[in-house]
Amino acid sequence: MIKIITDSSANISQQEAAQLGITVIPLTLIFGGKEYRDGIDMQSDEFFQKLVSGDEFPHTAQISEEQLVTAYTEACKDGSDVLIMPISSGISGSHDLCCSVAKRKGFEKVHVYNTLCTTVMLRMLVEVAVKNREKPVKEVISILDDVRSRMKLYAALNTLEYLKKGGRLNSAVATIGSLLKIKPVITVSRKGKIDLVSKQLGMPKALKYLEDAVNNANLDETMPVYYIYSMDDTNCRTVMEKTKTGKDAVPMHICPVIGAHIGPSAAGVIYVEKK
């Protein structure tokens, strides 16, 4: 059976990880020079309260070499193949570090998968890997490639302030956007980067963009549809109420490492299209 490792950007708690029989390596959150282990020392609710109430903008640190060596050693001790699924290489340097540590330290059984995604997209891929972990690694990777190619994420942001603070958006553009009440809709591209796909005038129109995306999609009904939010789930529930799959869904809180850049009251949806 394949051993599976991911990081805390996958929106999988330590408790859920234990139930799934996987390892979740916590990313590091830094507020004012103080470090917190994501999902261990700080949960999403506490993080967002600190984000909006304080003057300090948080920073995040990628997986460390020490964390990887520890995780690899534990997973490989019985001779199992190990599949590690870190945050997208288009967002973080974690993927390259995972590859480097495995090669330099001689962990020949470790296979690093470039997920090209994060947050609940990554959670979905991990769940697929868990369901198929009795299969050979190459077959599991092929299955993951197929699902990832059909996966969609759209998220409507309520503010541009945190993209500006994080250096992802020019200050002048952010100021003009806020004055015009522009609400961006973002996605995770095929290259694993966060891209802007639409600019909507006002949050109702941005949420309508999400609703239309789900309702017009040719959904793969064997896969879940996930609804996500940051801090306040009001906007997320508005989308859920108007989509064909939202009535029985449970919204998920976006992980801190992504929430730091999108701010509160964002809403999003993740789904997989049919082949």
Side-chain angles (χ1 to χ4, degrees), residues 206-220:
L207 298 180
K208 181 67 164 52
Y209 186 101
L210 270 58
E211 295 160 15
D212 289 345
V214 179
N215 289 331
N216 295 331
N218 186 18
L219 297 176
D220 181 342

Side-chain angles (χ1 to χ4, degrees), residues 66-205:
E66 181 181 3
Q67 286 176 303
L68 288 172
V69 170
T70 299
Y72 288 174
T73 301
E74 177 63 24
C76 290
K77 66 183 183 182
D78 64 355
S80 297
D81 281 309
V82 177
L83 182 64
I84 181 163
M85 304 171 65
I87 186 172
S88 170
S89 63
I91 299 173
S92 166
S94 290
H95 172 267
D96 289 346
L97 182 62
C98 289
C99 294
S100 173
V101 170
K103 184 176 182 180
R104 286 188 288 106
K105 300 294 184 178
F107 290 103
E108 297 179 357
K109 288 279 195 173
V110 171
H111 308 265
V112 184
Y113 183 69
N114 192 355
T115 64
L116 299 175
C117 64
T118 187
T119 190
V120 179
M121 289 182 85
L122 179 49
R123 179 192 178 102
M124 188 181 289
L125 282 184
V126 170
E127 291 171 342
V128 170
V130 168
K131 289 179 181 178
N132 291 280
R133 60 184 162 191
E134 299 290 347
K135 299 174 181 176
V137 172
K138 288 185 178 180
E139 186 176 343
V140 175
I141 288 174
S142 178
I143 292 169
L144 292 173
D145 285 343
D146 171 58
V147 173
R148 178 63 185 92
S149 71
R150 297 182 285 120
M151 193 182 296
K152 302 286 186 181
L153 175 146
Y154 296 106
L157 308 191
N158 192 46
T159 176
L160 298 171
E161 182 65 20
Y162 295 90
L163 285 174
K164 181 184 75 174
K165 286 181 177 179
R168 263 65 174 183
L169 189 65
N170 180 279
S171 295
V173 173
T175 300
I176 294 172
S178 297
L179 290 173
L180 295 175
K181 297 183 178 180
I182 291 174
K183 306 298 182 183
V185 178
I186 61 172
T187 191
V188 178
S189 72
R190 297 296 184 203
K191 295 182 179 180
K193 296 180 180 293
I194 297 175
D195 286 348
L196 178 69
V197 292
S198 180
K199 299 175 185 177
Q200 298 292 324
L201 294 176
M203 201 60 177
K205 290 185 177 180

